[in-house]
Amino acid sequence: ADGQPDLVLEGPNNQLQQNGIDLRLAKAYKVVGTMRLMVNKADVEKPDLVELQLDSDGCYIFHPGQQYSLEFMEDATVPSDMAARIIHRSTLNRFSGTVMSAHYDSGFYSQGGCGATFRPQTTTFIEVGARSAQILFQSAESASDYDGQYQGT
C-alpha cells in the first residue's frame, strides 16, 4: 500500500513464516476509559486511545494489568476466500503476554496498518519495527465480502 513498508521476504528477517506472516510494530496506544456495547449502534461508547511515547532506545514500554492497542506497519488485505486473525509471536507469548485481534472477514482490508490488542503480564519493551505478532489466514466460505464500518481503516 502507499506509504507502507514492503514485506521482508528474504534473509534473516524474513517475515513469511511457515503458517503466517510476521507483523512489525509501528505505533502503540493505551486504552483509557470504558467501552459500552449497545444494541443501538448510536449508543455505543468507545474508550480513548492515547499514543504511548517512545523511550530513548526507540521502544514502547508496556505495563502489566493494562490493555494496549497495537498498530502494525503492514496493511491487511483478506482475500474473498479467506479469513484472518492476528496473534502473538511465540517469544512474546512465552515471556510477556498475549496479542489478539478480532476475526478479519473475507474481503476486509486496512489502510495505514492493521491492529490488535496487547495484554502484558510483565513490563515489556518493544522496539518500533520489531516483529511482535503474526497474521494467520484460513480458508473460508462467505456469502459476500465484508463491507462494514471499519473497511479501509
Side-chain angles (χ1 to χ4, degrees):
D2 293 336
Q4 294 296 99
D6 291 333
L7 285 173
V8 177
L9 299 177
E10 296 179 359
N13 293 317
N14 185 352
Q15 289 176 257
L16 183 60
Q17 299 299 311
Q18 292 82 353
N19 296 299
I21 299 170
D22 286 344
L23 301 175
R24 298 167 293 177
L25 182 64
K27 292 183 181 179
Y29 305 86
K30 183 176 179 181
V31 179
V32 178
T34 59
M35 173 73 186
R36 186 177 183 93
L37 189 60
M38 307 295 287
V39 172
N40 182 349
K41 287 185 179 182
D43 294 332
V44 169
E45 297 175 20
K46 298 176 186 172
D48 293 323
L49 298 178
V50 178
E51 187 170 354
L52 299 180
Q53 299 300 308
L54 294 170
D55 72 1
S56 60
D57 293 324
C59 295
Y60 288 112
I61 304 170
F62 303 94
H63 299 284
Q66 302 290 322
Q67 179 162 317
Y68 299 92
S69 180
L70 305 181
E71 185 177 299
F72 300 103
M73 293 179 173
E74 295 76 23
D75 288 335
T77 300
V78 183
S80 294
D81 61 345
M82 304 290 277
R85 63 190 168 101
I86 295 172
I87 65 167
H88 38 264
R89 293 191 68 223
S90 60
T91 300
L92 198 57
N93 180 58
R94 282 193 296 272
F95 299 110
S96 177
T98 56
V99 174
M100 34 171 52
S101 72
H103 176 87
Y104 287 120
D105 287 317
S106 302
F108 174 84
Y109 65 89
S110 67
Q111 292 179 328
C114 56
T117 60
F118 178 45
R119 295 182 188 103
Q121 300 302 310
T122 62
T123 300
T124 304
F125 296 75
I126 303 177
E127 185 178 16
V128 169
R131 296 182 300 159
S132 47
Q134 282 190 344
I135 188 165
L136 307 176
F137 293 89
Q138 62 192 49
S139 296
E141 292 184 22
S142 177
S144 63
D145 283 351
Y146 177 81
D147 191 29
Q149 72 182 39
Y150 296 106
Q151 185 72 291
T153 61

